[in-house]
């Protein structure tokens, strides 16, 4: 699998580290109930098909990326900087 970093160009997947689903961007407020934090930290869907994930270009520029991909076909639909993204 290859990802096209917006800053570095086309790179092998081994340069990147999978950081989780994009829902990690929707962090609860500091004063949120414990149940909200528990849900945020421990509960994730694992859908087959289209998903949006966070990846870090660990062996490159270090940028955090939002990758839209298909988990069934392994097609990469888009890669963009995660900066300023919210769900």
């Amino acid at each position: 699998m290859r990802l096209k970093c917006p800053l570095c160009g086309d790179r092998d997947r081994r340069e990147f580290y999978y950081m989780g689903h994009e829902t990690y961007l929707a962090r609860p407020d500091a004063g949120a109930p414990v149940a909200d934090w528990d849900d945020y930290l421990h509960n994730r869907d694992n859908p087959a098909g289209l998903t949006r994930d966070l990846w870090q270009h660990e062996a490159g520029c270090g940028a955090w990326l939002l990758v839209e991909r298909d988990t069934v076909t392994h097609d990469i639909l888009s890669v963009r900087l995660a900066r300023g993204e919210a769900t």
Side-chain angles (χ1 to χ4, degrees):
M1 184 167 81
R2 296 187 67 82
L3 297 174
K4 188 170 185 176
C5 176
L7 302 175
C8 302
D10 193 38
R11 298 289 193 264
D12 187 272
R13 177 265 174 265
R14 291 172 288 191
E15 288 191 18
F16 300 86
Y17 187 79
Y18 174 78
M19 302 302 284
H21 191 265
E22 72 169 335
T23 53
Y24 280 124
L25 295 172
R27 185 181 175 121
D29 293 328
V34 172
D36 290 353
W37 278 100
D38 182 54
D39 186 53
Y40 170 76
L41 293 171
H42 302 291
N43 297 320
R44 295 281 178 262
D45 291 333
N46 189 14
L50 295 180
T51 187
R52 288 174 27 146
D53 304 314
L54 293 169
W55 292 71
Q56 184 185 20
H57 194 176
E58 186 177 50
C61 63
W64 284 70
L65 307 171
L66 187 61
V67 177
E68 187 174 11
R69 64 191 180 100
D70 189 318
T71 61
V72 176
T73 65
H74 302 291
D75 289 336
I76 304 297
L77 305 172
S78 70
V79 180
R80 63 179 182 269
L81 296 175
R83 176 180 39 227
E85 294 287 335
T87 59

